[in-house]
Amino acid sequence: GSGHSLELSTAGLQAEFTITAKDLYGNLRGVGGDNFRVRLTGVDSTSGLVQDLSDVQPGTYRVVYTVTKSGTYDISVVFGASGINQSPFRMVAQPARRHLGRSVPTGSGLTLGTAGVQ
């Protein structure tokens, strides 16, 4: 696998990376149809959607995913019963940018206060 989204993503935003399929000897596979599965586990769990791009780039697969919580995840890329080279990958999802329209104040000081008392 390759791509920045194997190391860092943002919660709530779609991220992607590519898988380049190779044979036992490191040669690029010239055909598609490989059955890769992608699973993210950590603060939350989700699956990645694997798209075969072999019509355009033989042996290439695009993976898209969206995590909803910030934190650390392991991305497992599996073919058959085995993980691919270097799988699982450790990825950190950073929090999304603040959204003031969704920010909510709380606390008794919003509705009740006494002058001179902290």
Side-chain angles (χ1 to χ4, degrees):
S2 65
H4 183 66
S5 295
L6 276 172
E7 299 169 2
L8 181 67
S9 69
T10 300
L13 297 180
Q14 180 176 292
E16 69 177 73
F17 62 91
T18 57
I19 300 170
T20 304
K22 296 191 176 184
D23 69 13
L24 177 65
Y25 303 103
N27 300 307
L28 180 65
R29 287 192 31 91
V31 297
D34 295 315
N35 187 24
F36 289 102
R37 290 175 294 136
V38 176
R39 184 85 181 142
L40 288 86
T41 54
V43 182
D44 198 10
S45 293
T46 189
S47 295
L49 173 66
V50 181
Q51 301 169 324
D52 189 343
L53 301 179
S54 293
D55 293 348
V56 180
Q57 287 182 285
T60 303
Y61 300 82
R62 177 178 178 241
V63 179
V64 294
Y65 67 89
T66 304
V67 294
T68 57
K69 296 180 181 175
S70 60
T72 302
Y73 291 81
D74 284 330
I75 302 176
S76 297
V77 181
V78 177
F79 179 79
S82 302
I84 69 167
N85 187 29
Q86 298 180 340
S87 178
F89 302 89
R90 179 61 48 100
M91 184 272 297
V92 174
Q94 60 191 2
R97 294 179 58 183
R98 69 179 171 269
H99 188 276
L100 298 179
R102 293 191 185 273
S103 298
V104 179
T106 59
S108 62
L110 290 171
T111 56
L112 177 63
T114 304
V117 178
Q118 291 185 348

